[in-house]
Amino acid sequence: EEGAEENADEAAEDDGDEAMLQEEEAEEGDEHEALLKEDAKALKEHQTRLKAISALSSPGIVPSNSILRKRAEAIRAAAKHAWSAYTRLAWGKDEVKPVSGGAGDSTFGLAVTMVDSLSTLWIMGFKEEFKQAREWLAKELPGRL
């Protein structure tokens, strides 16, 4: 009788363990499915951006407004990425060194990247970034001249 009870307890434990394992596998499957959906969405967005860019080199083809908008968004995103790297890694310096993640001053030491970027920031609609750079330059640049 004791052996039968122990076997029944072990079988119940095994059933509980298997149920937990199946539940974990189902959760992993759901996570995997979500990742696949995210990857598919990212791939579709990438393909759309590639299509927009390829229109640049297709002679005689006039891109649609949708393609032009996507191209503009891709260019704005690239500019935002570059500016973010500059502010994070080289604020107030002449240049950011993307490979090393450092910053440097050329012969000038006048925050030339910041100065050169002002018009781009304004034209691209990055008004807050423009304001921050303008304020920094107004305060710091006179002491460097």
Side-chain angles (χ1 to χ4, degrees), residues 39-139:
D39 287 348
K41 181 181 176 188
L43 179 60
K44 186 175 180 179
E45 290 171 356
H46 178 70
Q47 289 170 333
T48 301
R49 286 191 298 271
L50 283 177
K51 185 177 176 185
I53 291 168
S54 70
L56 283 172
S57 61
S58 302
I61 296 177
V62 178
S64 68
N65 285 338
S66 172
I67 295 290
L68 291 173
R69 252 189 315 282
K70 288 180 186 344
R71 186 184 301 156
E73 289 169 14
I75 293 167
R76 278 179 48 88
K80 184 77 159 186
H81 174 77
W83 182 254
S84 294
Y86 175 76
T87 61
R88 194 175 63 256
L89 302 170
W91 185 254
K93 298 289 186 182
D94 283 345
E95 60 190 6
V96 64
K97 296 180 178 179
V99 174
S100 68
D105 281 324
S106 63
T107 311
F108 306 107
L110 300 174
V112 293
T113 294
M114 191 181 303
V115 172
D116 187 49
S117 298
L118 287 173
S119 59
T120 302
L121 292 170
W122 185 263
I123 290 167
M124 293 214 171
F126 301 142
K127 304 302 188 212
E128 185 59 33
E129 291 85 349
F130 175 90
K131 179 183 171 195
Q132 291 169 349
R134 183 193 65 205
E135 288 174 358
W136 187 92
L137 289 166
K139 181 180 175 189

